[in-house]
Amino acid sequence: MTLHALETFISQAAARSRERTEPADCVLVLAPLMLDLIEHAGTFLQPQHYRSDPGNYTRNLIYKAPDESLSLYALVWLPGQWTPVHDHGSWGVVGIVEGVLEERSYVRLSPDRGADEGIELARGGIVLLRSGAVTSFVPNPDHIHVTGVPPERPRAVSLHLYGRMMSSFNIYDVGAGTRKRVDVAHNES
Ligand SMILES: [Fe+2]
């Protein structure tokens, strides 16, 4: 058992993200690191990173930077578990360790990106991410999406690196055309 892959990832991710202020530049250099990291996930993921909850998908913290400028989580998705429609207000890089993670995107049609009301969303495409795949997103305009696993597919496990502590995100009520900031829970390591 070695933590080498995780330690290497964290030191490189911290250095590369510190050098770059543009979110699109961050994900460009961090996505290849995530591709390597998930290949070695078996060497550093511990039983506590696989915790799950029959009531909701589970966010297990793996690492947070001392200044909270980076955070890495293992998310565990049991069959039928989904996020609400949300965006992160941050860049993020996601790698799939186990199963197939599905992401359904939404496109904001209403022009005022800062508004919390009068939001018109259209359903966009979906992506199916198998074990070994990496995806990413940037804010402004925000990447609005739903992520999860349909009931007919088995558990999925994914690693998520963000450019801040991901302790809150924006959730959308598509029918009402509104969004609000909500706190999201995670398990400490
Ligand atoms: Fe998300």
Side-chain angles (χ1 to χ4, degrees):
M1 181 82 63
T2 172
L3 290 172
H4 180 68
L6 179 61
E7 289 168 351
T8 301
F9 173 81
I10 286 168
S11 64
Q12 291 186 348
R16 293 187 186 187
S17 60
R18 209 171 23 241
E19 292 163 359
R20 290 162 178 86
T21 54
E22 278 295 315
D25 290 332
C26 285
V27 300
L28 197 65
V29 294
L30 296 177
L33 298 181
M34 179 62 82
L35 197 67
D36 289 340
L37 183 70
I38 54 178
E39 195 174 321
H40 298 98
T43 67
F44 63 85
L45 286 180
Q46 304 294 319
Q48 68 265 28
H49 300 134
Y50 288 92
R51 284 171 289 192
S52 62
D53 179 341
N56 199 21
Y57 72 97
T58 304
R59 308 174 67 246
N60 300 309
L61 184 68
I62 299 172
Y63 171 80
K64 64 179 174 186
D67 63 358
E68 301 196 341
S69 60
L70 286 178
S71 60
L72 178 67
Y73 302 83
L75 268 63
V76 180
W77 314 82
L78 298 181
Q81 294 185 335
W82 293 91
T83 67
V85 181
H86 70 281
D87 75 59
H88 294 270
S90 162
W91 59 258
V93 178
V94 176
I96 314 305
V97 172
E98 176 187 315
V100 177
L101 193 62
E102 182 164 330
E103 185 182 293
R104 302 175 178 173
S105 67
Y106 286 78
V107 180
R108 186 172 181 142
L109 302 176
S110 42
D112 183 356
R113 298 203 302 251
D116 293 326
E117 298 179 341
I119 299 167
E120 193 181 350
L121 296 178
R123 293 166 63 206
I126 75 163
V127 291
L128 301 176
L129 299 161
R130 273 192 200 281
S131 168
V134 171
T135 187
S136 67
F137 51 83
V138 295
N140 301 319
D142 292 311
H143 177 54
I144 303 167
H145 57 285
V146 165
T147 302
V149 173
E152 67 275 15
R153 287 203 203 104
R155 179 181 83 164
V157 179
S158 48
L159 303 187
H160 298 241
L161 178 74
Y162 303 105
R164 65 179 181 91
M165 291 303 293
M166 193 48 63
S167 52
S168 64
F169 58 26
N170 291 316
I171 66 167
Y172 293 75
D173 183 325
V174 177
T178 58
R179 77 170 179 187
K180 62 180 178 184
R181 197 80 170 178
V182 299
D183 294 332
V184 285
H186 70 258
N187 295 318
E188 298 290 338
S189 282

